[in-house]
Amino acid sequence: MKLSSANIENHLDTVYDAIVVGGGMGGLSAAIYLARYGLKCLVIEKGKGRSLWMQETRNYLGLDPNTPGRNILTHGAKQALDWGADHLRAFVEEVTDEGDAFAVKVKIGKKNSRHYTLRSKYVIAASGVIDVLPELENMQNVYDYAGYTLHVCMICDGFDMWDQKAVVMVSRESQINVAFVLNWFTPYISVLTNGFTVGDEMKQKLANHGYPLYEQPITQILGEDHKMSGVELQDGTIVEATTGLINMGSIYHNQYLKGIEELTWDGENLVTNNMGQTTHERIFAVGDLKQGLNQVTVAVADGTLAATQIWRYIRRSSAPRKWDE
Ligand code: FAD
Ligand code: FAD
């Protein structure tokens, strides 16, 4: 059932078996499995997540390579609802452990927001990350290319950059190292720092590889119809490139978990076992938020495993169903 501020009051006394924070790839997969195990689950999705921004999915077995993330999300949310999951458009602000259950505080609506607390036995953290983009004066110019020919994920899109002239956009020196991996796909790499100065050792390494370095601020990305032709810098220089990779780090959607002491973090990623269980036995993590490879395939499999382990725990603690009951 779709929940909203209009009907949520009826669900405040429900203790869900699991609340899934984030209705992206991992979260929806988990919800489909949870619902098909007959468990009561609620997916809470804030909107505008990472997979919404994915314009095509070229590496998922059986999917048309042109499938955009938004189609998978729409289809997946419908599937989860059809099997009996609840779905709420809201932002999860905080999760607190009350012993038997979690209190999940949500905010509905950006303006005139309403706040509610929902409860569940298990939590699946499926809230992912979001890529940091270069801050240009006209952000629409960035959105016109990011996710199309200006990529954020080399594993996803390295193939589509093969032997093309590519820019690598970074915000600190260590991020330049991606160029020495990207060169598997293309050696025609120009590095753009958008304003910061690079140390001598890195400068030398780039020079040894023949990769030009530009330290001027970026004015705009050039091209049309989402296809890059180059990048213009503040001093008027135009760096020719038909593709690019933004490697400026990620923002992790994990704030709501920061009050839970039992969790173990690897940087900002959650550490889990091979069923997605964190070091808090009733909190699971799937997809980009957990340690490992940031891929749709992985997030979907993670959702399957986490939901199955939760079902095992709940099933084992439930009385067996007998014919005569
Ligand atoms: P997401 O799918 O991002 O889902 C997390 C959800 O949680 C989001 O919808 C977000 O809105 C929500 N959320 C976050 N915080 C909160 C909160 N506090 N309350 C409520 N909801 C919240 N992968 C591939 O395998 N192949 C590709 O070709 C590919 N291309 C990509 C192209 C682009 C441009 C990008 C950005 C990514 C691409 N990826 C690709 C990576 C892929 O999108 C991710 O690995 C995948 O979506 C991870 O799934 P997830 O469930 O962990 O996160
Ligand atoms: P497979 O897909 O079985 O691939 C292994 C391949 O190796 C086979 O094609 C086989 O012919 C080949 N092979 C074996 N030995 C050799 C050899 N010596 N030389 C050359 N080739 C060889 N899973 C779900 O997620 N959802 C479902 O709804 C679902 N329903 C199912 C319904 C049925 C009727 C069955 C049988 C299975 C179902 N499954 C379902 C399970 C799913 O099919 C498997 O989990 C999945 O196919 C495993 O993938 P795999 O690559 O390990 O094996």
Side-chain angles (χ1 to χ4, degrees), residues 254-268:
N254 58 15
Q255 289 310 312
Y256 62 94
L257 289 171
K258 287 296 168 91
I260 309 256
E261 282 173 14
E262 293 90 335
L263 295 172
T264 308
W265 300 89
D266 169 20
E268 295 293 312

Side-chain angles (χ1 to χ4, degrees), residues 146-267:
Y148 294 92
T149 43
L150 180 55
H151 302 291
V152 295
C153 169
M154 182 173 46
I155 290 173
C156 311
D157 301 309
F159 182 93
D160 303 288
M161 303 173 78
W162 212 279
D163 281 350
Q164 292 185 56
K165 281 190 182 160
V167 288
V168 167
M169 297 182 182
V170 295
S171 57
R172 20 172 231 278
E173 186 168 318
S174 60
Q175 293 165 344
I176 294 176
N177 284 308
V178 79
F180 309 114
V181 186
L182 181 65
N183 63 10
W184 173 264
F185 298 103
T186 180
Y188 310 119
I189 298 169
S190 301
V191 174
L192 310 184
T193 69
N194 196 18
F196 78 85
T197 310
V198 174
D200 288 341
E201 202 177 320
M202 181 59 87
K203 269 196 176 127
Q204 192 55 52
K205 192 170 176 188
L206 287 170
N208 291 344
H209 284 74
Y211 304 160
L213 169 69
Y214 298 90
E215 294 171 324
Q216 299 91 336
I218 299 168
T219 340
Q220 60 169 329
I221 299 155
L222 304 170
E224 57 182 2
D225 195 21
H226 308 301
K227 293 194 179 71
M228 283 178 72
S229 59
V231 176
E232 185 187 276
L233 307 180
Q234 211 171 56
D235 65 356
T237 306
I238 291 177
V239 182
E240 267 183 50
T242 50
T243 188
L245 180 68
I246 299 171
N247 189 45
M248 297 174 55
S250 309
I251 296 163
Y252 292 77
H253 297 141
N254 58 15
Q255 289 310 312
Y256 62 94
L257 289 171
K258 287 296 168 91
I260 309 256
E261 282 173 14
E262 293 90 335
L263 295 172
T264 308
W265 300 89
D266 169 20

